[in-house]
């Protein structure tokens, strides 16, 4: 059975071109980029080139790019590193809909005596910028707000937020993992201080990420050790991953138009056909400002997990808005923050597409969805009682 992969916000397929450029760096060009000899030095040259490729996609200077092991490390480094640079400031502002890579760090900070404020969102997942502005003060050490939500695709007004925060002399970090490669960025014209991205969300391998640190931003290193990354992130570089990420960034720039035209059209087709074919379904998120590849749809009265299992039988990969914690199904914190009713939050499915998806895959899924929903609603009207 062929796999139909609609779970690209969870991870992506490594692009063939990316895999190809990585291969020599395992068994042939395996030198340490920090070594003095020519053998290592040539590897160092490739790491430098990859840094330039990342910088080109972000519209920044290569010296502002720090390679990390993942998006999570970039987020932790940004938040903890910025706090360490201004130890007298004790307030942290974030949102209730952040990825756990940010939210868990902030909640841990709260346990360690920081004053953490989590901004709420409205029914469409939008922030109240007046509320944010009213909370900024001289005690605020950092504001960390994601660029786009991984579950709903809702895009926040990044530049407006960055301006508002940085004008007050406060450090601004954004988890941009979901927009890099999907929406154009130009950091040279932006006041954003810190920005995180992750390789495996844009067709590079797992285990490599980037923290962008705007020139002049004060930040303490998170990993201590050797002098790699200009002393800002110790640890021998993941050379194949870095070379792959460089290539993935180059490709992302090339496919950006495709993402916002063809992929977006596929998403729109999938979404409107599902809404039309399945009664009691609705979109979660801001339909105006949304990632081109993402749709999150709630189906009343059924469990997302049951839908996923049925989709899985057809080889279709998607994800649900619930997480199985301690044996009970908790609806997603993002949908709960948006006030999505309990019955709808439980039955939510996220489809996230990529440039590798085809119209045939979308058509096949459009054909199957109404059958799946009808069958599940017949099987049992009781949430949690559905077995497939
Ligand atoms: C995937 C993701 C992360 C984590 O990145 P990893 O490289 O998997 O650690 C952080 N934030 C968002 C919004 C994500 O989607």
């Amino acid at each position: 059975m062929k796999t139909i992969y609609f779970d690209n916000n969870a991870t992506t397929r490594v692009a063939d071109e990316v895999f190809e450029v990585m291969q020599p760096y395992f068994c042939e060009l395996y030198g340490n980029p920090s070594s003095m000899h020519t053998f290592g030095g040539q590897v160092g040259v490739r790491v430098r080139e990859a840094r330039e490729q990342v910088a080109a996609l972000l519209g920044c200077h290569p010296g502002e790019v720090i390679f990390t092991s993942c998006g999570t490390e970039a987020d932790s480094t940004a938040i903890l590193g910025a706090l360490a640079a201004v130890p007298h400031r004790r307030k942290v502002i974030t949102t209730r809909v952040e990825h756990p890579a940010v939210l868990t760090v902030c909640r841990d900070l709260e346990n360690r005596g920081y004053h953490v404020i989590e901004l709420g969102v409205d029914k469409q997942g939008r922030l109240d910028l007046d509320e944010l502005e009213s909370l900024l003060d001289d005690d605020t050490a950092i504001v960390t707000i994601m660029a786009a939500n991984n579950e709903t695709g809702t895009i926040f007004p990044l530049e407006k937020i960055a301006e508002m925060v940085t004008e007050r002399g406060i450090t601004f970090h954004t988890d941009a993992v979901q927009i890099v490669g999907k929406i154009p960025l130009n950091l040279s014209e932006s006041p954003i201080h810190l920005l995180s991205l992750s390789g495996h969300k844009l067709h590079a391998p797992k285990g490599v990420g980037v923290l962008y640190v705007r020139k002049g931003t004060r930040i303490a290193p998170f990993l201590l050790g050797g002098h790699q990354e200009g002393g800002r992130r110790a640890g021998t570089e993941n050379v194949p991953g870095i070379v792959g990420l460089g290539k993935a960034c180059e490709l992302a720039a090339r496919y950006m138009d495709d993402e916002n035209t063809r992929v977006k059209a596929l998403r729109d087709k999938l979404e409107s056909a599902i809404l039309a074919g399945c009664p009691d379904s609705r979109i979660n998120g801001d339909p105006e400002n949304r990632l081109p590849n993402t749709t999150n749809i709630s189906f009343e009265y059924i469990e997302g997990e049951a839908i996923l299992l049925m989709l899985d039988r057809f080889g279709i990969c998607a994800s649900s808005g619930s997480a199985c914690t301690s044996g009970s199904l908790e609806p997603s914190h993002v949908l709960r923050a948006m006030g999505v009713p309990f019955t709808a939050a439980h039955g939510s499915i996220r489809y996230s597409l990529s440039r590798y998806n085809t119209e045939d895959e979308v058509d096949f899924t459009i054909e199957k969805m109404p059958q799946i929903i009808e069958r599940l609603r017949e099987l049992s009207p009781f949430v949690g009682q559905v077995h497939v």
Side-chain angles (χ1 to χ4, degrees), residues 9-11 69-73 75 98-102 146 148-150 175-178 196-201 206-209 350:
N9 287 10
T11 197
S69 67
C70 57
T72 300
E73 187 196 319
D75 284 340
E98 297 296 309
H99 187 276
V102 167
M146 69 198 324
N149 191 273
N150 46 299
D175 176 335
V177 170
Q178 289 295 341
S196 308
L197 68 91
S198 169
H200 74 101
K201 304 287 173 80
K206 295 159 187 68
V208 64
R350 176 190 71 190

Side-chain angles (χ1 to χ4, degrees), residues 23-36:
Q23 290 198 58
Y25 296 91
F26 290 99
C27 304
E28 295 154 48
L29 299 169
Y30 53 82
N32 189 321
S34 300
S35 295
M36 288 301 289

Side-chain angles (χ1 to χ4, degrees), residues 240-316:
I242 289 169
V243 169
L245 178 55
K247 186 69 186 178
C249 286
E250 185 197 305
L251 292 170
R254 203 184 305 161
Y255 284 103
M256 192 84 71
D257 270 348
D258 183 58
E259 184 86 26
N260 288 282
T261 53
R262 191 187 63 88
V263 176
K264 182 173 185 288
L266 288 180
R267 187 278 310 269
D268 289 344
K269 181 177 185 184
L270 179 69
E271 178 177 273
S272 49
I274 289 174
L275 291 177
C278 307
D280 295 315
S281 60
R282 50 174 255 197
I283 302 173
N284 295 313
D286 182 354
E288 301 291 310
N289 298 298
R290 201 159 48 135
L291 292 174
N293 77 318
T294 307
T295 178
N296 185 311
I297 304 176
S298 274
F299 303 91
E300 287 272 4
Y301 322 119
I302 35 185
E303 288 281 1
E305 277 61 31
I307 303 171
L308 288 186
L309 287 174
M310 300 274 270
L311 284 169
D312 195 54
R313 287 176 168 185
F314 297 113
I316 302 168

